[in-house]
Amino acid sequence: MALFGFEKDTLLDLTVNVIPLGIILFFIAAFAVVPAFGTDPVFTGMQFALMISMFLLLAVLTYYAGRAIEGAEQEQESLEEASAVNEPEGEVTGLEDGDDAEAELDDASADGDDE
Amino acid sequence: MAAGDLVLTGLMAVLLVGIAALLTRIENWRSYTPLAGGGTATGETVVHREKPAGIVRWLTTVDHKDIGLLYGVYAVIAFAVGGIMAMLIRLQLVTPGGALLGANAYNSILTSHGITMLFLFGTPIIAAFANYFIPLLIGADDMAFPRINAIAFWLLPPAALLIWAGFFLAPVTENMIEPAQTAWTMYTPLSVEQTNPGVDLMLLGLHLSGVAATMGAINFIATVFTERAEEVTWANLDIFSWTILTQSALILFAFPLLGSAIVMLLLDRNLATTFFAVEGGGPLLWQHLFWFFGHPEVYILVLPPMGLVSLILPKFAGRKLFGFKFVVYSTLAIGVLSFGVWAHHMFSTGMDPRLRASFMAVSLAIAIPSAVKTFNWITTMWNGRLRLTSPMLFCIGFISNFIIGGVTGVFLAAIPVDLVLHDTYYVVGHFHYIVMGAIGFAAFAGIYYWFPVFTGRMYQRTLGKAHFWLSMIGTNVTFFAMLALGYLGMPRRYATYQFDGAIAPLAQVQTYHLLATVGAVLLFVGQLIFVWNVVQSWLEGPKVEDGDPWDLERDGMLDREFQWFDRKLETAVTDGGEDEEQSALTGARSDD
Ligand code: HEM
Ligand SMILES: [Cu+2]
């Protein structure tokens, strides 16, 4: 299963944010179906804008955080596989650099000593 | 008309995003890496030059550990000042007519108590832990920008002087300049109409503290993103760093907004602009701007303490944090959603009911990530090998108090309930369960947990436990009584309460006020013990010889900061030389 390209474990972790997303979605639907206070272009617009923007922002952030963490995890796994005895990184495996998934987020881990 | 405003706002937003995008294209900000960072690629902290001795060292330091200690001392002093103010408030309310203070003095003290505790204690105590321990936890040599770090701290003492200025100046200016009496929310039109220049000074001080917080936040974001040791990845970044990262992002979006709103308020006060006047933007504009900052601010204050508990609790439960990733993702969720709930502080202002309903929806959604964490902490302790040390006791107290604070918050987030309880002591009880019962407790947990690291000594365990029990009982007596007072309809922020017994049961109200004061006395005694314990143990406590004072190795939970501590102890023993990294007092005593 690869929903949005995530592994099953990561998806399971992400459910924690699916619940608030669901609650917001519920209210969006409820307010759309039962507009208890009538509708008005400006205020109804703002009402839904608030909920929808929160929904989208949370969804996007969750997606990217999941990506970053999963990427870093796979990285680590492949490192561990490559060095069965877990010797210091890079000595035998030569893998310590050029890890692109991490490099995207953390292009500086290697150049902290550029003074 | 309103639609036109919306369109304009939208265009403005597009413009700003455009500018930001442009700036990221032309500026390569990585090239600004300062030279002052020091250190080598091995991840060891290296001190290039010897630090100057005595007071000059503390005035000129750019070492993150020194700055962390400075923040800590500053925060504890502010905590003492705010605590004494709180005691005055509680003593005042023992009798309906007010026991000590006039109405003006009461308002001044109430205002300063709130601002002191939130901005001069809360934010700095978190910065203290973050400065000292984030670089150690992520294996960095120092903060990304050590000098900005120092500047950010040194803005705080003048901020405090400005915020408290009225108290110093009132006696010498014959009350021409009084302390601000605006309450910490500084609602207009009251805050515009009070001509007292002390309000301007307070606003400037607040602005300064916001600048300091923003500089600190930028520094933490840069540090966590760019200074991590190679083996620290997004997958194994510790939980405290995650919460500080999220908190810093919140600060980055929230505090500049407070700063702008404060400037607008200053202009309204002094240059007759009409941002918040009825004929201009209207008084509600202030509330929207303030709470757009104010609600994220409460999460700015609570996220890192949640991180501290998530870090410390597992160490004494003998089990890894249950659902580590849940905690990480829910922290991020809180970070985002906290910007969509601000108007739950304004339910009773007569805003549009449709809009109000949407704020309720998001407020209910944000309760979930908080609740998730609570279950994670409880599950971590489940079947664990609990060791009830002082830091652990404070962590457990945190959870207990956070549950009450959180549940009362969810009640308040429901519009019908809020319309009844708004501006009563129920609200005061709600947020004090969190700011004292949770944030304060997490700070104590952190101080006790890392006491060996930053002092090289051990605190007195019995006193630590006495501190815990007095704080736990005191907190619950005081703030539970406040919840009850809220149900009885006691409004907040009143210097006296001599109301007609037909409106509400005056005798009961007085009893609960008395209870709250008794609880506050317990709390106060507890804090005296705490200060005594810290000071005396720092000076005379038994030296810690073991790099693993909490016996964490056994469960494989010795984090980097304790490994660093262990190395420090070992090098100090083997080469017998001077250890430049010694913390304040040990360093001063053994070397000079
Ligand atoms: C579980 C999530 C929370 C919810 C749903 C919630 C909800 C609320 C609501 C609706 C109010 C407004 C009450 C009123 O004035 O009528 C309120 C007030 C307040 N809350 Fe919370 N809260 C939550 C968590 C927190 C946290 C974590 C903190 C602090 C770190 C906090 C601090 C405050 C403060 C300071 C106020 C009072 C502001 C004032 O009027 O002076 N709350 N809360
Ligand atoms: Cu709020």
Side-chain angles (χ1 to χ4, degrees):
Chain A
M1 189 168 83
L3 201 56
F4 301 113
F6 283 121
E7 281 177 9
K8 195 167 135 225
D9 278 351
T10 317
L11 278 177
L12 220 56
D13 291 335
L14 293 178
T15 48
V16 67
N17 282 4
V18 172
I19 300 167
L21 285 172
I23 293 181
I24 298 179
L25 211 58
F26 166 81
F27 277 104
I28 293 177
F31 292 150
V33 174
V34 194
F37 298 97
T39 47
D40 168 282
V42 170
F43 288 113
T44 308
M46 288 205 288
Q47 176 188 16
F48 283 97
L50 180 85
M51 291 185 293
I52 293 171
S53 61
M54 281 298 134
F55 183 91
L56 291 180
L57 282 172
L58 181 55
V60 168
L61 182 72
T62 305
Y63 176 80
Y64 277 105
R67 273 270 88 90
I69 291 178
E70 193 178 88
E73 255 168 8
Q74 283 164 354
E75 193 83 7
Q76 222 162 356
E77 269 161 31
S78 57
L79 256 179
E80 269 156 31
E81 268 164 34
S83 58
V85 257
N86 226 348
E87 72 263 77
E89 290 162 26
E91 277 194 355
V92 179
T93 63
L95 280 176
E96 89 275 37
D97 290 328
D99 34 349
D100 28 34
E102 194 204 354
E104 269 172 35
L105 283 149
D106 176 28
D107 49 348
S109 57
D111 53 328
D113 48 345
D114 50 357
E115 286 106 278
Chain B
M1 191 208 87
D5 284 352
L6 278 186
V7 173
L8 271 181
T9 314
L11 284 177
M12 193 65 189
V14 173
L15 182 72
L16 289 177
V17 171
I19 293 174
L22 208 67
L23 283 178
T24 52
R25 291 192 150 251
I26 53 178
E27 295 276 0
N28 179 9
W29 56 274
R30 276 292 297 160
S31 63
Y32 290 129
T33 310
L35 298 171
T40 65
T42 61
E44 261 300 2
T45 313
V46 171
V47 181
H48 285 303
R49 262 172 287 135
E50 247 184 89
K51 288 174 189 166
I55 189 81
V56 179
R57 163 184 175 182
W58 294 102
L59 294 175
T60 58
T61 182
V62 293
D63 178 344
H64 68 97
K65 297 192 283 321
D66 289 352
I67 294 176
L69 288 174
L70 287 172
Y71 268 112
V73 171
Y74 178 92
V76 170
I77 292 172
F79 188 56
V81 173
I84 290 168
M85 289 170 173
M87 286 313 291
L88 290 174
I89 295 171
R90 280 322 321 163
L91 292 175
Q92 162 84 352
L93 296 173
V94 170
T95 61
L100 305 172
L101 308 161
N104 285 348
Y106 178 86
N107 291 344
S108 305
I109 286 172
L110 183 84
T111 302
S112 296
H113 163 71
I115 296 179
T116 302
M117 285 305 200
L118 291 175
F119 297 97
L120 306 181
F121 163 67
T123 321
I125 192 75
I126 293 167
F129 288 121
N131 265 296
Y132 203 106
F133 292 105
I134 292 282
L136 297 181
L137 282 167
I138 66 173
D141 302 328
D142 201 312
M143 297 287 289
F145 309 112
R147 289 178 198 187
I148 293 186
N149 203 19
I151 299 171
F153 171 77
W154 285 108
L155 289 181
L156 285 178
L161 288 182
L162 284 168
I163 286 170
W164 298 330
F167 289 104
F168 309 126
L169 295 176
V172 290
T173 58
E174 288 168 352
N175 289 341
M176 283 275 294
I177 303 179
E178 288 187 300
Q181 298 172 25
T182 54
W184 84 282
T185 51
M186 300 166 282
Y187 273 12
T188 53
L190 182 72
S191 56
V192 176
E193 284 164 9
Q194 287 189 350
T195 50
N196 165 23
V199 178
D200 298 307
L201 296 178
M202 181 272 280
L203 289 172
L204 290 171
L206 210 52
H207 197 38
L208 214 53
S209 86
V211 174
T214 312
M215 289 165 108
I218 293 170
N219 214 341
F220 284 120
I221 294 176
T223 306
V224 175
F225 266 83
T226 64
E227 303 289 319
R228 276 176 292 137
E230 221 156 294
E231 62 274 17
V232 180
T233 67
W234 292 117
N236 62 16
L237 187 64
D238 68 281
I239 190 69
F240 183 56
S241 302
W242 271 110
T243 54
I244 286 290
L245 186 64
T246 313
Q247 182 226 25
S248 300
L250 292 184
I251 289 180
L252 213 52
F253 288 105
F255 267 93
L257 191 119
L258 175 73
S260 325
I262 286 177
V263 171
M264 288 155 79
L265 188 56
L266 281 168
L267 292 176
D268 266 17
R269 286 175 55 80
N270 297 300
L271 300 176
T273 53
T274 56
F275 289 113
F276 306 118
V278 178
E279 64 275 22
L284 264 198
L285 176 62
W286 170 263
Q287 294 195 23
H288 277 296
L289 293 180
F290 180 82
W291 286 117
F292 187 85
F293 149 80
H295 187 83
E297 163 71 4
V298 306
Y299 280 100
I300 287 168
L301 288 172
V302 86
L303 281 176
M306 287 171 160
L308 282 178
V309 170
S310 307
L311 188 85
I312 297 170
L313 184 99
K315 307 287 190 295
F316 299 102
R319 297 183 58 193
K320 279 211 176 105
L321 181 64
F322 179 85
F324 179 89
K325 303 269 170 51
F326 279 7
V327 179
V328 171
Y329 291 121
S330 59
T331 299
L332 297 171
I334 289 179
V336 172
L337 294 180
S338 63
F339 283 100
V341 300
W342 76 89
H344 66 210
H345 296 271
M346 303 164 59
F347 282 158
S348 63
T349 53
M351 61 192 286
D352 186 87
R354 289 159 288 220
L355 211 49
R356 195 167 65 176
S358 61
F359 280 104
M360 176 176 89
V362 185
S363 299
L364 293 179
I366 204 177
I368 300 297
S370 311
V372 164
K373 291 186 178 166
T374 312
F375 287 118
N376 279 312
W377 294 320
I378 294 174
T379 323
T380 304
M381 290 192 288
W382 195 274
N383 274 341
R385 187 170 42 78
L386 299 193
R387 290 182 288 156
L388 295 181
T389 58
S390 301
M392 182 61 167
L393 287 173
F394 275 104
C395 286
I396 299 173
F398 172 104
I399 300 171
S400 157
N401 294 333
F402 184 72
I403 290 174
I404 302 183
V407 169
T408 50
V410 178
F411 276 86
L412 287 171
I415 296 167
V417 180
D418 185 71
L419 292 181
V420 177
L421 293 174
H422 175 63
D423 256 347
T424 67
Y425 264 77
Y426 189 86
V427 176
V428 183
H430 153 65
F431 69 76
H432 277 92
Y433 258 104
I434 293 179
V435 290
M436 178 63 221
I439 297 170
F441 274 42
F444 296 137
I447 290 173
Y448 286 123
Y449 178 58
W450 282 317
F451 197 82
V453 177
F454 62 81
T455 63
R457 290 165 187 268
M458 200 52 170
Y459 62 84
Q460 298 159 68
R461 290 156 212 260
T462 322
L463 292 185
K465 294 202 170 135
H467 175 213
F468 169 74
W469 285 110
L470 284 166
S471 302
M472 188 66 191
I473 296 169
T475 298
N476 279 281
V477 170
T478 305
F479 302 122
F480 205 84
M482 290 192 182
L483 295 179
L485 278 171
Y487 283 130
L488 291 175
M490 173 76 205
R492 60 192 282 206
R493 296 190 176 125
Y494 275 55
T496 59
Y497 48 102
Q498 292 158 302
F499 52 76
D500 181 353
I503 306 173
L506 183 56
Q508 280 185 36
V509 167
Q510 192 181 349
T511 310
Y512 280 115
H513 268 306
L514 195 63
L515 260 179
T517 305
V518 170
V521 172
L522 291 179
L523 257 174
F524 193 72
V525 174
Q527 306 326 302
L528 290 180
I529 293 179
F530 163 69
V531 172
W532 169 260
N533 191 0
V534 167
V535 172
Q536 206 214 5
S537 307
W538 201 323
L539 297 174
E540 299 172 358
K543 280 225 160 96
V544 174
E545 253 126 51
D546 181 3
D548 180 13
W550 299 117
D551 204 7
L552 302 175
E553 189 77 72
R554 166 175 171 185
D555 299 309
M557 290 207 271
L558 203 64
D559 286 342
R560 273 160 204 283
E561 85 281 23
F562 274 106
Q563 292 170 11
W564 168 84
F565 178 60
D566 193 34
R567 280 198 302 276
K568 196 178 93 166
L569 284 180
E570 267 168 29
T571 39
V573 171
T574 46
D575 64 30
E578 239 184 43
D579 186 358
E580 292 141 322
E581 299 165 30
Q582 284 275 345
S583 57
L585 288 159
T586 29
R589 208 188 27 264
S590 56
D591 303 344
D592 299 350

